[in-house]
Coordinates of all heavy atoms in Angstrom, one line a residue:
M219 N 0.8 -1.2 0.0 CA 0.0 0.0 0.0 C 0.9 1.2 0.0 O 1.8 1.4 0.8 CB -0.9 0.0 1.2 CG -1.8 1.1 1.3 SD -3.0 0.8 2.6 CE -3.0 2.4 3.4
A220 N 0.7 2.1 -0.9 CA 1.4 3.4 -1.0 C 1.0 4.3 0.1 O -0.1 4.4 0.5 CB 1.3 4.0 -2.4
Q221 N 2.0 5.1 0.6 CA 1.7 6.1 1.6 C 2.3 7.4 1.2 O 3.4 7.5 0.7 CB 2.3 5.6 2.9 CG 1.8 6.3 4.1 CD 1.8 5.5 5.3 OE1 2.2 4.3 5.3 NE2 1.5 6.1 6.5
D222 N 1.6 8.5 1.4 CA 2.1 9.8 1.1 C 3.3 10.2 2.0 O 3.3 9.9 3.2 CB 1.1 10.9 1.2 CG 0.0 10.8 0.2 OD1 0.2 10.1 -0.9 OD2 -1.1 11.2 0.4
V223 N 4.4 10.7 1.4 CA 5.5 11.2 2.2 C 5.6 12.7 2.0 O 5.5 13.2 0.9 CB 6.8 10.5 1.8 CG1 8.0 11.1 2.5 CG2 6.7 9.0 2.0
F224 N 5.8 13.4 3.1 CA 5.9 14.9 3.1 C 7.3 15.3 3.4 O 8.1 14.6 3.9 CB 4.9 15.5 4.1 CG 3.5 15.0 3.8 CD1 3.0 14.0 4.6 CD2 2.7 15.6 2.9 CE1 1.7 13.5 4.4 CE2 1.4 15.2 2.7 CZ 0.9 14.1 3.5
A225 N 7.6 16.6 3.0 CA 8.9 17.2 3.3 C 8.8 18.5 3.9 O 7.8 19.3 3.5 CB 9.7 17.2 2.0
V226 N 9.7 18.9 4.8 CA 9.8 20.2 5.4 C 11.2 20.6 5.5 O 12.1 19.9 5.8 CB 9.0 20.3 6.7 CG1 9.7 19.4 7.7 CG2 8.9 21.7 7.2
F227 N 11.5 21.9 5.2 CA 12.8 22.5 5.2 C 13.1 23.1 6.6 O 12.2 23.8 7.1 CB 13.0 23.5 4.1 CG 14.3 24.2 4.1 CD1 15.5 23.6 3.6 CD2 14.5 25.5 4.7 CE1 16.7 24.2 3.6 CE2 15.7 26.1 4.8 CZ 16.8 25.5 4.2
V228 N 14.2 22.8 7.2 CA 14.6 23.5 8.5 C 16.0 24.0 8.4 O 16.9 23.5 7.8 CB 14.5 22.5 9.7 CG1 13.1 22.0 9.9 CG2 15.4 21.3 9.5
S229 N 16.2 25.2 9.0 CA 17.5 25.8 9.2 C 17.7 26.3 10.6 O 18.7 26.9 10.9 CB 17.7 26.9 8.2 OG 16.7 27.9 8.4
T230 N 16.8 26.0 11.5 CA 16.9 26.3 12.9 C 16.1 25.3 13.7 O 15.3 24.6 13.1 CB 16.3 27.8 13.1 OG1 16.5 28.1 14.5 CG2 14.9 27.9 12.8
A231 N 16.2 25.3 15.0 CA 15.5 24.3 15.8 C 14.0 24.7 15.8 O 13.6 25.8 15.9 CB 16.0 24.4 17.2
A232 N 13.1 23.6 15.6 CA 11.7 23.8 15.4 C 11.0 22.5 15.6 O 11.5 21.5 15.3 CB 11.4 24.5 14.1
T233 N 9.7 22.7 15.9 CA 8.8 21.5 15.8 C 8.3 21.5 14.3 O 7.7 22.4 13.8 CB 7.5 21.7 16.7 OG1 7.9 21.8 18.0 CG2 6.5 20.6 16.5
V234 N 8.7 20.5 13.6 CA 8.4 20.4 12.2 C 7.2 19.7 11.8 O 6.6 19.9 10.8 CB 9.7 19.8 11.4 CG1 10.8 20.7 11.5 CG2 10.0 18.5 11.8
V235 N 6.7 18.8 12.7 CA 5.5 18.1 12.6 C 4.7 18.1 13.9 O 5.3 17.6 14.9 CB 5.6 16.7 12.1 CG1 4.3 16.0 11.8 CG2 6.5 16.6 10.9
D236 N 3.6 18.7 13.9 CA 2.8 18.9 15.2 C 1.8 17.9 15.4 O 0.6 18.1 15.7 CB 2.2 20.3 15.1 CG 1.8 20.8 16.5 OD1 2.2 20.2 17.5 OD2 0.9 21.7 16.6
R237 N 2.2 16.6 15.2 CA 1.2 15.5 15.4 C 2.1 14.2 15.3 O 3.3 14.2 15.1 CB 0.2 15.4 14.2 CG 0.8 15.2 12.8 CD -0.2 15.0 11.8 NE 0.4 15.0 10.4 CZ 1.1 14.0 9.9 NH1 1.3 12.8 10.5 NH2 1.5 14.1 8.7
R238 N 1.4 13.1 15.6 CA 2.1 11.8 15.5 C 2.5 11.6 14.1 O 1.8 11.9 13.1 CB 1.1 10.7 15.9 CG 1.6 9.3 15.8 CD 0.4 8.4 16.2 NE 0.7 7.0 15.8 CZ 1.0 6.0 16.7 NH1 0.9 6.3 18.0 NH2 1.3 4.8 16.3
C239 N 3.7 11.0 13.9 CA 4.2 10.8 12.5 C 5.4 9.8 12.5 O 5.8 9.4 13.6 CB 4.7 12.1 11.9 SG 6.2 12.8 12.7
R240 N 5.8 9.5 11.3 CA 6.9 8.6 11.2 C 8.0 9.3 10.4 O 7.7 9.8 9.3 CB 6.6 7.3 10.4 CG 5.7 6.4 11.3 CD 5.5 5.0 10.7 NE 4.7 4.2 11.5 CZ 5.2 3.4 12.5 NH1 6.5 3.5 12.7 NH2 4.5 2.7 13.2
F241 N 9.2 9.4 11.0 CA 10.3 10.0 10.3 C 10.9 9.1 9.3 O 11.2 7.9 9.6 CB 11.4 10.3 11.4 CG 12.7 10.7 10.9 CD1 12.9 12.0 10.2 CD2 13.8 9.9 11.0 CE1 14.1 12.3 9.7 CE2 15.0 10.3 10.5 CZ 15.2 11.5 9.9
R242 N 11.0 9.5 8.0 CA 11.5 8.7 6.9 C 12.9 8.9 6.5 O 13.5 8.1 5.9 CB 10.6 8.9 5.7 CG 9.2 8.4 6.0 CD 9.1 6.9 6.3 NE 7.7 6.5 6.4 CZ 7.3 5.3 6.3 NH1 8.2 4.4 6.0 NH2 6.0 5.0 6.5
G243 N 13.5 10.1 6.8 CA 14.8 10.4 6.5 C 15.1 11.9 6.3 O 14.2 12.7 6.6
F244 N 16.3 12.2 5.9 CA 16.6 13.6 5.7 C 17.7 13.8 4.6 O 18.4 12.8 4.3 CB 17.1 14.3 7.0 CG 18.4 13.8 7.5 CD1 19.6 14.4 7.1 CD2 18.5 12.8 8.4 CE1 20.8 14.0 7.5 CE2 19.8 12.3 8.8 CZ 20.9 13.0 8.4
S245 N 17.8 15.0 4.1 CA 18.9 15.4 3.2 C 19.4 16.7 3.8 O 18.6 17.6 4.0 CB 18.4 15.6 1.8 OG 19.4 16.1 1.0
A246 N 20.7 16.8 4.2 CA 21.2 17.9 4.9 C 22.5 18.4 4.3 O 23.3 17.7 3.7 CB 21.5 17.5 6.4
V247 N 22.7 19.8 4.5 CA 24.0 20.4 4.1 C 24.5 21.1 5.3 O 23.8 21.9 6.0 CB 23.8 21.4 2.9 CG1 25.1 22.1 2.6 CG2 23.2 20.7 1.7
W248 N 25.8 20.9 5.7 CA 26.4 21.4 6.8 C 27.4 22.5 6.4 O 28.2 22.3 5.5 CB 27.2 20.4 7.6 CG 26.6 20.1 8.9 CD1 27.3 20.0 10.1 CD2 25.3 19.6 9.3 NE1 26.5 19.7 11.2 CE2 25.2 19.4 10.6 CE3 24.1 19.4 8.5 CZ2 24.1 19.0 11.3 CZ3 23.0 19.0 9.2 CH2 23.0 18.8 10.5
G249 N 27.3 23.7 7.0 CA 28.1 24.8 6.6 C 29.3 25.0 7.5 O 30.2 24.1 7.5
G250 N 29.3 26.0 8.4 CA 30.4 26.4 9.2 C 31.0 25.5 10.2 O 32.2 25.4 10.4
T251 N 30.2 24.7 10.9 CA 30.7 23.9 12.0 C 30.1 22.5 11.9 O 29.0 22.3 11.5 CB 30.4 24.5 13.4 OG1 28.9 24.6 13.5 CG2 31.0 25.9 13.6
A252 N 30.9 21.5 12.4 CA 30.3 20.2 12.5 C 29.3 20.2 13.6 O 29.3 21.0 14.5 CB 31.5 19.2 12.8
G253 N 28.4 19.2 13.5 CA 27.4 19.2 14.6 C 26.4 18.0 14.4 O 26.8 17.1 13.6
R254 N 25.3 18.1 15.1 CA 24.4 17.0 15.1 C 23.0 17.4 14.7 O 22.5 18.5 15.1 CB 24.3 16.3 16.5 CG 25.5 15.6 16.9 CD 25.3 15.0 18.2 NE 26.5 14.2 18.5 CZ 26.9 13.8 19.7 NH1 26.1 14.1 20.7 NH2 28.0 13.2 19.9
L255 N 22.4 16.7 13.9 CA 20.9 16.8 13.6 C 20.3 15.9 14.6 O 20.5 14.8 14.7 CB 20.6 16.3 12.2 CG 19.1 16.3 11.8 CD1 18.7 17.7 11.4 CD2 18.9 15.4 10.7
T256 N 19.5 16.6 15.5 CA 18.9 15.9 16.6 C 17.4 15.9 16.5 O 16.8 16.9 16.2 CB 19.2 16.5 18.0 OG1 20.7 16.6 18.1 CG2 18.7 15.8 19.2
L257 N 16.7 14.7 16.7 CA 15.3 14.6 16.5 C 14.8 14.1 17.9 O 15.2 13.1 18.5 CB 15.0 13.5 15.5 CG 15.4 13.9 14.1 CD1 16.5 13.0 13.6 CD2 14.3 13.9 13.2
R258 N 13.8 14.9 18.4 CA 13.2 14.6 19.7 C 11.7 14.4 19.5 O 11.0 15.0 18.6 CB 13.4 15.8 20.6 CG 14.8 15.9 21.1 CD 15.0 17.0 22.2 NE 16.2 16.8 22.9 CZ 17.4 17.3 22.4 NH1 17.5 17.7 21.2 NH2 18.5 17.1 23.2
N259 N 11.1 13.5 20.4 CA 9.7 13.3 20.5 C 9.1 14.4 21.3 O 9.3 14.4 22.5 CB 9.4 11.9 21.0 CG 8.0 11.5 20.9 OD1 7.4 11.7 19.9 ND2 7.4 11.0 21.9
G260 N 8.3 15.3 20.7 CA 7.6 16.3 21.5 C 8.3 17.6 21.5 O 8.1 18.4 20.5
T261 N 9.0 18.0 22.5 CA 9.5 19.4 22.7 C 11.0 19.4 22.9 O 11.7 18.4 23.2 CB 8.9 20.0 24.0 OG1 9.4 19.3 25.1 CG2 7.4 20.0 23.9
P262 N 11.6 20.6 22.8 CA 13.1 20.7 23.0 C 13.5 20.3 24.4 O 14.7 20.1 24.7 CB 13.5 22.1 22.7 CG 12.2 22.8 22.8 CD 11.1 21.8 22.4
T263 N 12.6 20.4 25.4 CA 12.9 20.1 26.8 C 12.9 18.6 27.0 O 13.4 18.1 28.1 CB 11.9 20.7 27.7 OG1 10.6 20.3 27.4 CG2 11.9 22.2 27.6
N264 N 12.5 17.8 26.1 CA 12.6 16.3 26.2 C 14.1 16.0 26.1 O 14.7 16.2 25.0 CB 11.9 15.6 25.1 CG 11.9 14.1 25.2 OD1 12.7 13.6 26.0 ND2 11.2 13.4 24.4
T265 N 14.7 15.6 27.2 CA 16.2 15.4 27.2 C 16.7 14.1 26.5 O 17.9 14.0 26.4 CB 16.7 15.4 28.6 OG1 16.0 14.4 29.4 CG2 16.5 16.8 29.3
D266 N 15.8 13.2 26.1 CA 16.2 12.0 25.5 C 15.8 12.0 24.0 O 14.7 11.8 23.6 CB 15.5 10.8 26.1 CG 15.8 10.6 27.6 OD1 17.0 10.8 27.9 OD2 14.9 10.2 28.4
P267 N 16.9 12.4 23.2 CA 16.6 12.4 21.7 C 16.3 11.0 21.3 O 16.9 10.0 21.8 CB 17.9 13.0 21.1 CG 18.9 12.8 22.2 CD 18.2 12.8 23.5
I268 N 15.4 10.9 20.3 CA 15.2 9.5 19.7 C 16.3 9.2 18.8 O 16.8 8.0 18.9 CB 13.8 9.6 18.9 CG1 12.7 9.6 20.0 CG2 13.7 8.3 18.1 CD1 11.3 9.6 19.4
V269 N 16.9 10.1 18.1 CA 18.0 9.8 17.2 C 18.8 11.1 16.9 O 18.3 12.2 16.9 CB 17.5 9.2 15.9 CG1 16.7 10.1 15.1 CG2 18.6 8.6 15.1
E270 N 20.1 10.9 16.8 CA 21.0 12.0 16.4 C 21.9 11.5 15.3 O 22.4 10.3 15.3 CB 21.9 12.4 17.6 CG 21.2 13.0 18.7 CD 22.1 13.5 19.8 OE1 22.9 12.7 20.3 OE2 21.9 14.7 20.2
F271 N 22.2 12.4 14.4 CA 23.1 12.1 13.2 C 24.2 13.1 13.3 O 23.9 14.3 13.3 CB 22.3 12.2 11.9 CG 21.2 11.2 11.8 CD1 19.9 11.6 12.1 CD2 21.4 10.0 11.3 CE1 18.8 10.7 12.0 CE2 20.4 9.1 11.2 CZ 19.1 9.4 11.5
T272 N 25.4 12.7 13.3 CA 26.6 13.6 13.3 C 27.1 13.8 11.8 O 27.1 12.9 11.0 CB 27.8 13.0 14.0 OG1 27.3 12.7 15.4 CG2 29.0 13.9 14.1
I273 N 27.2 15.1 11.5 CA 27.7 15.5 10.2 C 28.9 16.4 10.3 O 28.9 17.3 11.1 CB 26.5 16.2 9.4 CG1 25.4 15.2 9.3 CG2 27.0 16.6 8.0 CD1 24.1 15.8 8.7
T274 N 29.9 16.2 9.5 CA 31.1 17.0 9.6 C 31.0 18.3 8.8 O 30.2 18.4 7.9 CB 32.3 16.2 9.1 OG1 32.1 15.8 7.8 CG2 32.6 15.0 10.0
T275 N 31.9 19.2 9.1 CA 31.9 20.6 8.5 C 32.0 20.5 7.0 O 32.8 19.7 6.4 CB 33.1 21.4 9.0 OG1 33.0 21.4 10.4 CG2 33.1 22.8 8.5
G276 N 31.2 21.3 6.3 CA 31.3 21.4 4.8 C 30.9 20.2 4.0 O 31.3 20.1 2.9
T277 N 30.0 19.4 4.6 CA 29.6 18.2 3.8 C 28.1 18.2 3.8 O 27.4 19.0 4.3 CB 30.1 16.9 4.6 OG1 29.4 16.9 5.9 CG2 31.5 16.9 4.7
S278 N 27.6 17.2 3.0 CA 26.2 16.9 2.9 C 25.9 15.4 3.3 O 26.8 14.6 3.2 CB 25.6 17.3 1.6 OG 26.3 16.4 0.6
R279 N 24.7 15.2 3.6 CA 24.4 13.8 4.0 C 22.9 13.5 3.7 O 22.1 14.4 3.9 CB 24.7 13.5 5.5 CG 24.3 12.1 5.9 CD 24.8 11.9 7.3 NE 24.4 10.6 7.8 CZ 24.7 10.1 9.0 NH1 25.3 10.9 9.8 NH2 24.3 8.9 9.3
D280 N 22.7 12.3 3.1 CA 21.3 11.9 2.9 C 21.2 10.6 3.7 O 22.0 9.7 3.6 CB 21.1 11.5 1.4 CG 21.2 12.8 0.5 OD1 20.7 13.8 0.9 OD2 21.9 12.7 -0.5
Q281 N 20.1 10.6 4.5 CA 19.9 9.4 5.3 C 18.4 9.0 5.2 O 17.5 9.8 5.4 CB 20.2 9.7 6.8 CG 20.0 8.6 7.8 CD 21.1 7.5 7.6 OE1 22.2 7.9 7.6 NE2 20.7 6.3 7.4
Y282 N 18.2 7.7 4.8 CA 16.8 7.2 4.7 C 16.7 6.1 5.6 O 17.5 5.2 5.8 CB 16.6 6.8 3.2 CG 16.8 8.0 2.3 CD1 18.0 8.1 1.6 CD2 15.9 9.0 2.2 CE1 18.3 9.2 0.8 CE2 16.2 10.1 1.4 CZ 17.4 10.2 0.7 OH 17.6 11.3 0.0
I283 N 15.5 6.0 6.3 CA 15.2 5.0 7.3 C 14.4 3.9 6.6 O 13.3 4.2 6.0 CB 14.4 5.6 8.5 CG1 15.1 6.9 9.0 CG2 14.1 4.6 9.5 CD1 16.5 6.7 9.5
P284 N 14.8 2.7 6.7 CA 14.1 1.6 6.0 C 12.8 1.2 6.7 O 12.6 1.6 7.9 CB 15.1 0.4 6.1 CG 16.0 0.8 7.3 CD 16.0 2.2 7.4
G285 N 12.0 0.4 6.1 CA 10.8 -0.1 6.6 C 9.8 1.0 6.9 O 9.5 1.8 6.1
E286 N 9.3 1.0 8.2 CA 8.2 1.9 8.5 C 8.7 3.2 9.1 O 7.9 4.0 9.5 CB 7.3 1.2 9.5 CG 6.5 0.0 9.0 CD 5.6 0.4 7.9 OE1 4.9 1.4 8.0 OE2 5.6 -0.3 6.9
G287 N 10.0 3.4 9.1 CA 10.6 4.7 9.6 C 10.6 4.6 11.1 O 10.5 3.6 11.8
I288 N 10.8 5.8 11.8 CA 10.9 5.9 13.2 C 9.7 6.7 13.7 O 9.4 7.8 13.2 CB 12.1 6.7 13.6 CG1 13.4 5.9 13.2 CG2 12.2 6.8 15.1 CD1 14.7 6.7 13.4
L289 N 8.9 6.0 14.6 CA 7.7 6.6 15.1 C 7.9 7.7 16.2 O 8.6 7.5 17.1 CB 6.8 5.5 15.7 CG 5.4 6.0 16.3 CD1 4.5 6.6 15.3 CD2 4.8 4.8 17.0
F290 N 7.3 8.8 16.0 CA 7.3 9.9 16.9 C 5.8 10.0 17.4 O 4.9 10.3 16.6 CB 7.7 11.2 16.3 CG 9.3 11.3 16.1 CD1 9.8 10.6 15.0 CD2 10.1 12.0 17.0 CE1 11.2 10.5 14.8 CE2 11.5 12.0 16.7 CZ 12.0 11.3 15.7
T291 N 5.6 9.8 18.6 CA 4.2 9.6 19.1 C 3.4 10.9 19.4 O 2.2 10.9 19.4 CB 4.2 8.7 20.4 OG1 5.0 9.4 21.4 CG2 4.7 7.3 20.1
T292 N 4.2 12.0 19.6 CA 3.5 13.3 19.8 C 3.8 14.3 18.8 O 2.9 14.8 18.1 CB 3.8 13.8 21.2 OG1 5.2 14.0 21.3 CG2 3.3 12.9 22.3
K293 N 5.1 14.7 18.7 CA 5.5 15.7 17.7 C 6.9 15.4 17.2 O 7.6 14.7 18.0 CB 5.5 17.1 18.3 CG 4.2 17.6 18.8 CD 4.4 19.0 19.5 CE 3.1 19.5 20.1 NZ 3.2 20.8 20.7
L294 N 7.3 15.9 16.1 CA 8.7 15.7 15.7 C 9.4 17.1 15.8 O 9.1 18.0 15.1 CB 8.7 15.3 14.2 CG 10.1 15.2 13.5 CD1 11.1 14.4 14.3 CD2 9.9 14.6 12.1
Y295 N 10.3 17.1 16.8 CA 11.1 18.4 17.0 C 12.5 18.1 16.5 O 13.1 17.1 16.8 CB 11.2 18.7 18.5 CG 12.0 19.9 18.8 CD1 11.4 21.2 18.7 CD2 13.3 19.8 19.1 CE1 12.1 22.3 19.0 CE2 14.1 21.0 19.4 CZ 13.5 22.2 19.3 OH 14.2 23.3 19.6
V296 N 13.0 19.1 15.7 CA 14.4 18.9 15.1 C 15.2 20.1 15.5 O 14.8 21.2 15.4 CB 14.2 18.9 13.5 CG1 15.6 18.8 12.9 CG2 13.4 17.7 13.1
S297 N 16.5 19.8 15.8 CA 17.4 20.9 16.0 C 18.7 20.7 15.1 O 19.1 19.5 14.9 CB 17.8 21.0 17.5 OG 18.5 19.8 17.9
V298 N 19.1 21.8 14.6 CA 20.3 21.7 13.7 C 21.3 22.8 14.2 O 20.9 23.8 14.7 CB 19.9 22.0 12.2 CG1 19.1 20.9 11.6 CG2 19.3 23.3 12.0
P299 N 22.6 22.6 14.0 CA 23.6 23.6 14.4 C 23.5 24.8 13.5 O 22.9 24.8 12.4 CB 24.9 22.9 14.3 CG 24.7 21.8 13.4 CD 23.3 21.4 13.4
A300 N 24.2 25.9 13.8 CA 24.3 27.1 13.0 C 24.9 26.7 11.6 O 25.7 25.8 11.5 CB 25.2 28.1 13.7
A301 N 24.5 27.4 10.6 CA 25.0 27.2 9.2 C 24.7 25.8 8.7 O 25.4 25.3 7.9 CB 26.5 27.5 9.1
A302 N 23.6 25.3 9.1 CA 23.2 23.9 8.6 C 21.7 24.1 8.2 O 20.9 24.9 8.6 CB 23.3 22.9 9.7
E303 N 21.4 23.2 7.2 CA 20.0 23.2 6.7 C 19.7 21.7 6.3 O 20.6 21.0 6.0 CB 19.8 24.0 5.4 CG 20.8 25.1 5.1 CD 20.5 25.9 3.9 OE1 20.7 25.3 2.8 OE2 20.2 27.0 4.0
A304 N 18.4 21.4 6.5 CA 18.0 20.0 6.2 C 16.6 20.0 5.7 O 15.8 20.8 6.0 CB 18.1 19.2 7.4
T305 N 16.3 19.0 4.9 CA 15.0 18.7 4.5 C 14.6 17.4 5.1 O 15.3 16.4 5.0 CB 14.8 18.6 2.9 OG1 15.2 19.8 2.3 CG2 13.4 18.2 2.5
I306 N 13.5 17.4 5.9 CA 13.1 16.3 6.7 C 11.9 15.6 6.0 O 11.0 16.3 5.5 CB 12.6 16.8 8.1 CG1 13.7 17.6 8.8 CG2 12.1 15.6 8.9 CD1 14.9 16.9 9.1
F307 N 12.0 14.3 5.8 CA 10.9 13.5 5.2 C 10.1 12.8 6.2 O 10.7 12.1 7.1 CB 11.5 12.6 4.2 CG 12.3 13.3 3.1 CD1 13.7 13.3 3.1 CD2 11.7 13.9 2.0 CE1 14.4 14.0 2.2 CE2 12.4 14.6 1.1 CZ 13.8 14.6 1.1
Y308 N 8.8 12.8 6.2 CA 8.0 12.2 7.1 C 6.6 11.8 6.5 O 6.3 12.3 5.4 CB 7.8 13.1 8.4 CG 6.9 14.3 8.0 CD1 5.5 14.3 8.2 CD2 7.5 15.4 7.4 CE1 4.8 15.4 7.9 CE2 6.7 16.5 7.1 CZ 5.4 16.5 7.3 OH 4.6 17.6 7.0
D309 N 5.9 11.0 7.2 CA 4.5 10.7 6.8 C 3.6 10.7 8.1 O 4.0 10.9 9.2 CB 4.3 9.4 6.1 CG 4.6 8.2 6.8 OD1 4.7 8.2 8.1 OD2 4.8 7.1 6.2

């Protein structure tokens, strides 16, 4: 069964999906500093990230999650370091 996949662009920390969803992957470009793309369930105050991806300075990365993706039960909150941008894929 086919399922719609959506995309949202982020360049700062934000709630990118304000509902239950499945994270399917991302495409990111890192500028000035190395850092982590961090995904949290709910809010930035949730201290336990569900997943973090490390990306080095001046590179890009595409990461796709197999199968059903990663379930976020309340909201999908994403944080990126300065000079970084990412497109987040979810359903």
Side-chain angles (χ1 to χ4, degrees):
M219 181 168 136
Q221 196 154 351
D222 292 337
V223 175
F224 305 96
V226 63
F227 176 80
V228 294
S229 60
T230 187
T233 297
V234 296
V235 183
D236 197 17
R237 61 172 172 79
R238 176 185 170 109
C239 69
R240 291 190 177 273
F241 170 71
R242 298 296 185 157
F244 71 88
S245 180
V247 176
W248 249 233
T251 58
R254 293 184 177 160
L255 175 78
T256 304
L257 297 111
R258 289 184 164 79
N259 190 43
T261 66
T263 57
N264 180 351
T265 57
D266 297 323
I268 288 184
V269 65
E270 290 184 312
F271 299 94
T272 301
I273 302 176
T274 57
T275 303
T277 62
S278 62
R279 180 172 177 179
D280 296 315
Q281 181 71 52
Y282 303 100
I283 308 301
E286 295 298 315
I288 300 172
L289 178 63
F290 287 76
T291 57
T292 58
K293 298 177 184 180
L294 173 52
Y295 180 86
V296 177
S297 61
V298 295
E303 339 181 291
T305 301
I306 306 297
F307 300 101
Y308 68 95
D309 66 15

